[in-house]
Amino acid sequence: MSQLPADASAVVIGGGVAGCSVAYHLARLGWTDVILVERHDLTEGTTWHSAGFVGQLRSTVTQTRMIMYSAGLYPELRELTGLDPGWHGVGGLRLATTPERMEELLRQAGAAETYGLDLELLDPRGTLDRLPLLEVGDVLGSLWLPGDGWLDPARLGHALAEGARKLGVRIFTGVEVTGIDVHEGRVTAVRLRGEDSGDDEHVVRTETVVNAAGAAAGVVGRMAGADIPIVPIKHQYVVTPPAGVPADTPTVRDPDNIVYFREEDGGILVGGYIRSPQVWDTGRPLAEARTLFTPDMPKFRESWDSAVRRVPSLKSVGDGDDPAAFRKVVHGPEAFTPDGEFLLGETAVAGLWVAAGFCVHGLAAAGGVGKVMAEWIAEGAPEYDVFGMDVRRFGSHARSARWARARALDSYSKYYDIVYPGEERTAARPLRRSPAWVRHEALGASFGEKAGWERVNWYASTSRAGEVRPRGWAGRVWSPAIREECLATRDAAGLFDQTSFAKLEISGSVADLERFAGNALDRPVGAEAYTVVYTQLLNERGGIEADVTVTRLAEDRFRLVTGTAFGVHDTALLRRHGLAVADVTSAYACYCLWGPRAYEILASLTDDDLTFGYLRAAEISVGHVPVLAQRVTFVGEFGWELYCPSEYGLTLWDSLMEAGLPHGMRPAGYRALDSLRLEKGYRVWGLDVTPETSPLEAGLGFAVRPERRAALPRPRTVLRCLVLDDERDVCLGGEPVRLDGRPVSRVTSGGYGHRVGRSIAYAYLPPALSPDLEPGGRLEIGVNGRQVGATITREPLYDPEGARVRAEPWAAAGR
């Protein structure tokens, strides 16, 4: 304790692989005045008992890149420290025993091709050749990933720690964090106590704290007033006695049978994800070093039985009921999150960062976690798009421990299940509901969930005329109602409930807001109408941090509307730039009335002037309800977004339905919204645009003011619209795009356009690689295990002149 400094540029809490990796990477970026504190010895929290699997292929490109980076880090650590990080590059097999899992392997193989991963798709014979001890009678195929392997978790942790020390980081073990001081919403100091210091505390002044406390990260977060939805869950594996298993035996995942295994000391380590997981309910997780629970062999029975079927030689160990039959049984705590993904980034408390929630697979990505966290802290943004792991993806609803537990248990129990795009989970629902939710339910709506909000995917279908059901996975979560809702919006009107979209009230100077916005926001404040501006919020590299509309309500007051899941993220972004922000999402209902008859419908409900133009807004009354009406569209049709205080929301919905139904209007859901926006080429943040893409690359240069556009980097790729030859082959995102048989890109988003009758996909393509990559050029897309021809097409496909969006229907009505 006497050696602890009074000040530090950063304090990292937690001596597992996460904390050691963050400290190491901060030091590599020049932050040498860093200390790391651990209440026990290094790696003795949740790191030491990890099974250590490193599987590079993940569901997103960012996760895969992080693990690929990690795999490349180990030789560097060995050279720097002289310590062996315990890497066993034995390769890995991922098995498929059902047609559905085989489909998943084909999709994963296509995605891996675009990531640059080396892999091979094997038949049962090839699988057996790779690992002769397997029983492959029920195996349909497997993926062989030669870059996979496993790590000794403690060795990796100590190698990272030694690397950090050699770069100047000071590491203190046997030191407990007793408090985190916060002043005006920002971290100012960390309070520490040593094992032998009694009640005496040592205060380290700092403005940067990294909470890498694993299963205890929630407790540490609460010390600073931050809610971090970490749920400690019990996870179990066993190791058999030595049986001459070769050290070069590949790792194996058999997800259909919820089991994984690898070699260890001549025996086999067997683990699995049980269907009835148990939360570790304790107020003081990891208070003791190397925490383990009593073996629970009945809960492990399904995984063990699956392992014995897959590796018949395991029968000699027994039926799995006796812990003494194993060399060891490891039943320990793992830090899970509500959606099974990491928690990274800055919390609502400025300067308090988190790198936790590794959900069993974190050891593989530990190097990548350290890299992105250090870049985020030191440079303001990581190289990769990490929103899917950003702690700010969760809103205030994640404060509920019961909600977090229910979601985390559901996530764990289905960890190895196939996750079909569009598939909805039901745990801890419903939670957040629009004022019109009761009407949606009465209309037979099929609901989805996002950020805790219940949102209509589609309503009950009334006809199957003209039905085009997509092949493969795209047809699994689908309804003919989507087409009906799209065509009703085209021919009459659609009424969409977008109450869940995040709404932020901003106070501050227009100059402060415009400083990191692409478009010009300094527009006149009209007496009768406001200006609405579509813009992106950009990082220092010109990448798109947010895709929003901004309405200027007064000289120093703005309303920003962003996606449902992005409110917390965008609020933090704005506050970091010195703006005062209030999240008013729940204060206002929002219904969108779009279509050629929208004017007639709304005019029948108001005496106010509706002739204000596109990208303008006005305060009107709709029936008896006060409304802010904005001429904005996300479907490419004339109409408005209608905002009212939530207490009027049900009345407004009823009024619009009563007025609209006689005109052919239909209520419509988010699947129709996605189809309609694809036809117009409207981008979605997190898919088509990310912090790694610039407005020029995304085709959004029109939304950037000239002087800012001139400062943007030259595009390396350009987002292109692709139309598939076969309308029944529909992309879901991530599919490989090939030119002359070689991968050149992957699909960012795709779907079926019902107004144009085409299957549509978007992908970033090199701007000058080949004439084939210009409009009219031909490519192939890997869909459902087949190569489907596609044509690069000028966009938008629907109403390319924008005549319908900018229409003046009141002129036709003689007003």
Side-chain angles (χ1 to χ4, degrees):
M1 288 291 290
S2 62
Q3 296 177 356
L4 280 165
D7 300 271
S9 57
V11 176
V12 179
I13 301 171
V17 290
C20 292
S21 183
V22 172
Y24 169 72
H25 284 86
L26 279 172
R28 282 208 336 185
L29 293 180
W31 283 42
T32 53
D33 185 21
V34 173
I35 68 169
L36 182 150
V37 295
E38 163 59 49
R39 69 188 307 177
H40 306 302
D41 284 331
L42 294 178
T43 78
E44 289 195 339
T46 54
T47 292
W48 72 277
H49 62 70
S50 169
F53 278 67
V54 177
Q56 296 181 85
L57 180 57
R58 295 291 168 176
S59 59
T60 69
V61 63
T62 294
Q63 290 176 353
T64 303
R65 289 163 73 185
M66 287 170 66
I67 297 173
M68 291 172 71
Y69 169 83
S70 297
L73 176 66
Y74 309 137
E76 178 183 312
L77 284 174
R78 188 180 292 108
E79 182 178 340
L80 175 66
T81 67
L83 297 180
D84 177 9
W87 170 241
H88 302 260
V90 294
L93 288 166
R94 187 176 179 91
L95 309 182
T97 62
T98 64
E100 293 79 11
R101 186 71 66 178
M102 198 65 205
E103 280 187 286
E104 182 188 49
L105 288 193
L106 290 172
R107 281 183 58 84
Q108 289 176 327
E113 182 181 11
T114 71
Y115 302 161
L117 265 183
D118 185 16
L119 62 78
E120 185 179 356
L121 191 62
L122 304 178
D123 61 14
R125 179 72 251 178
T127 304
L128 185 62
D129 290 343
R130 285 288 178 189
L131 189 52
L133 59 80
L134 295 181
E135 165 56 50
V136 298
D138 61 339
V139 172
L140 301 181
S142 68
L143 279 184
W144 164 247
L145 294 128
D148 283 5
W150 61 277
L151 285 160
D152 181 297
R155 286 186 178 183
L156 174 63
H158 283 283
L160 286 165
E162 184 62 19
R165 285 192 186 99
K166 286 185 176 294
L167 294 175
V169 174
R170 286 174 288 176
I171 296 177
F172 299 89
T173 58
V175 175
E176 180 182 0
V177 177
T178 57
I180 299 174
D181 294 348
V182 177
H183 179 65
E184 295 183 351
R186 170 168 282 282
V187 165
T188 58
V190 177
R191 298 180 178 273
L192 306 170
R193 183 171 55 221
E195 294 174 329
D196 302 319
S197 60
D199 294 331
D200 295 336
E201 288 184 328
H202 181 93
V203 178
V204 178
R205 292 182 295 270
T206 185
E207 292 189 348
T208 301
V209 174
V210 181
N211 176 1
V219 174
V220 172
R222 286 193 291 276
M223 292 180 182
D227 295 298
I228 299 174
I230 291 288
V231 181
I233 293 180
K234 298 180 179 181
H235 185 76
Q236 193 166 202
Y237 67 81
V238 301
V239 180
T240 70
V245 179
D248 61 354
T249 297
T251 65
V252 179
R253 289 175 174 81
D254 186 358
D256 289 323
N257 296 289
I258 61 171
V259 66
Y260 59 80
F261 49 92
R262 65 168 174 82
E263 181 271 341
E264 181 167 309
D265 295 331
I268 297 180
L269 181 154
V270 177
Y273 295 87
I274 62 176
R275 296 295 186 184
S276 54
Q278 184 179 356
V279 169
W280 182 29
D281 280 315
T282 176
R284 301 181 67 242
L286 307 184
E288 304 298 327
R290 302 173 73 88
T291 298
L292 288 179
F293 312 116
T294 302
D296 190 344
M297 305 318 293
K299 275 189 177 291
F300 195 66
R301 186 61 184 266
E302 183 179 358
S303 292
W304 177 251
D305 287 348
S306 294
V308 171
R309 288 194 301 273
R310 187 62 59 219
V311 184
S313 62
L314 289 175
K315 291 177 183 177
S316 63
V317 180
D319 58 11
D321 291 338
D322 182 9
F326 299 102
R327 187 168 67 83
K328 62 181 177 181
V329 177
V330 177
H331 192 199
E334 293 285 355
F336 260 75
T337 65
D339 60 2
E341 295 298 343
F342 304 163
L343 293 178
L344 307 179
E346 192 172 23
T347 69
V349 177
L352 178 64
W353 298 75
V354 62
F358 276 15
C359 306
V360 182
H361 61 273
L363 196 80
V369 166
K371 166 186 163 63
V372 300
M373 287 293 296
E375 292 168 347
W376 217 338
I377 294 167
E379 300 172 356
E383 178 185 357
Y384 308 148
D385 169 24
V386 294
F387 177 75
M389 308 172 210
D390 193 330
V391 66
R392 294 169 298 182
R393 68 187 183 273
F394 293 112
S396 59
H397 59 285
R399 294 174 186 164
S400 165
R402 293 191 178 191
W403 179 88
R405 280 198 300 268
R407 296 294 287 240
L409 286 169
D410 180 68
S411 177
Y412 182 103
S413 68
K414 298 174 181 175
Y415 188 81
Y416 265 167
D417 287 1
I418 298 171
V419 180
Y420 294 104
E423 188 175 67
E424 301 289 349
R425 297 282 176 85
T426 59
R429 292 177 57 190
L431 182 61
R432 306 172 77 182
R433 289 180 269 188
S434 156
W437 181 86
V438 291
R439 300 293 190 257
H440 305 327
E441 187 179 44
L443 289 170
S446 174
F447 289 99
E449 180 268 341
K450 196 166 192 178
W453 282 98
E454 294 295 314
R455 312 197 311 172
V456 176
N457 282 336
W458 58 74
Y459 294 90
S461 176
T462 59
S463 169
R464 305 188 80 88
E467 176 181 348
V468 179
R469 189 182 191 94
R471 293 189 182 96
W473 281 19
R476 293 185 65 93
V477 185
W478 176 89
S479 170
I482 301 169
R483 179 176 186 273
E484 299 167 32
E485 293 166 13
C486 289
L487 298 187
T489 304
R490 179 194 68 185
D491 299 334
L495 182 61
F496 299 80
D497 186 345
Q498 287 191 181
T499 297
S500 68
F501 270 38
K503 300 168 279 287
L504 309 178
E505 296 279 358
I506 304 170
S507 301
S509 81
V510 68
D512 286 340
L513 182 55
E514 203 174 56
R515 189 171 297 121
F516 67 112
N519 215 337
L521 301 177
D522 193 2
R523 310 292 178 89
V525 181
E528 297 180 356
Y530 309 112
T531 300
V532 183
V533 177
Y534 171 57
T535 188
Q536 291 75 46
L537 306 182
L538 307 179
N539 58 36
E540 292 182 358
R541 299 191 302 265
I544 300 171
E545 292 285 347
D547 187 63
V548 302
T549 59
V550 178
T551 303
R552 190 175 192 182
L553 302 175
E555 288 293 329
D556 59 354
R557 188 165 66 91
F558 308 84
R559 180 177 295 174
L560 180 148
V561 178
T562 187
T564 299
F566 309 144
V568 177
H569 170 275
D570 292 2
T571 296
L573 182 66
L574 292 159
R575 287 175 177 163
R576 196 160 66 241
H577 285 78
L579 294 155
V581 185
D583 188 332
V584 296
T585 300
S586 299
Y588 296 96
C590 174
Y591 308 128
C592 300
L593 178 63
W594 290 315
R597 306 201 71 177
Y599 174 78
E600 297 171 63
I601 295 167
L602 195 60
S604 71
L605 292 170
T606 184
D607 298 321
D608 293 316
D609 183 10
L610 299 177
T611 62
F612 52 92
Y614 182 57
L615 292 179
R616 300 281 282 171
E619 292 174 347
I620 64 172
S621 294
V622 178
H624 305 297
V625 177
V627 167
L628 175 67
Q630 297 195 162
R631 272 286 306 277
V632 178
T633 180
F634 198 54
V635 301
E637 302 287 354
F638 172 91
W640 299 269
E641 295 176 349
L642 304 170
Y643 297 86
C644 72
S646 289
E647 65 268 27
Y648 298 101
L650 185 57
T651 300
L652 179 59
W653 179 269
D654 287 345
S655 297
L656 292 167
M657 286 290 288
E658 182 179 0
L661 290 177
H663 291 274
M665 184 197 79
R666 284 190 59 145
Y670 275 81
R671 295 301 171 81
L673 189 76
D674 194 51
S675 171
L676 296 163
R677 71 94 188 166
L678 275 168
E679 296 171 307
K680 284 295 292 182
Y682 295 149
R683 286 29 173 165
V684 171
W685 191 83
L687 296 177
D688 305 308
V689 293
T690 74
E692 295 184 48
T693 58
S694 76
L696 298 184
E697 292 172 327
L700 298 174
F702 67 88
V704 183
R705 60 190 186 273
E707 65 273 18
R708 190 67 192 268
R709 189 184 311 128
L712 291 174
R714 184 176 181 179
R716 298 163 299 170
T717 59
V718 179
L719 190 62
R720 297 290 197 184
C721 177
L722 312 177
V723 173
L724 280 69
D725 292 350
D726 192 327
E727 65 178 14
R728 293 189 59 199
D729 286 308
V730 174
C731 294
L732 296 168
E735 292 85 355
V737 179
R738 300 184 178 96
L739 174 64
D740 297 329
R742 59 189 178 86
V744 292
S745 186
R746 71 185 67 87
V747 171
T748 59
S749 66
Y752 187 80
H754 292 277
R755 290 178 299 191
V756 299
R758 308 298 295 272
S759 177
I760 306 166
Y762 279 84
Y764 282 93
L765 299 172
L769 183 65
S770 163
D772 292 327
L773 297 179
E774 296 299 321
R778 296 283 295 166
L779 298 162
E780 287 187 329
I781 304 177
V783 188
N784 302 321
R786 300 166 51 243
Q787 299 306 306
V788 181
T791 302
I792 302 173
T793 308
R794 296 190 185 278
E795 57 169 330
L797 295 173
Y798 180 74
D799 187 27
E801 303 302 322
R804 295 174 74 93
V805 172
R806 293 177 171 80
E808 298 182 352
W810 53 86
R815 183 166 175 171

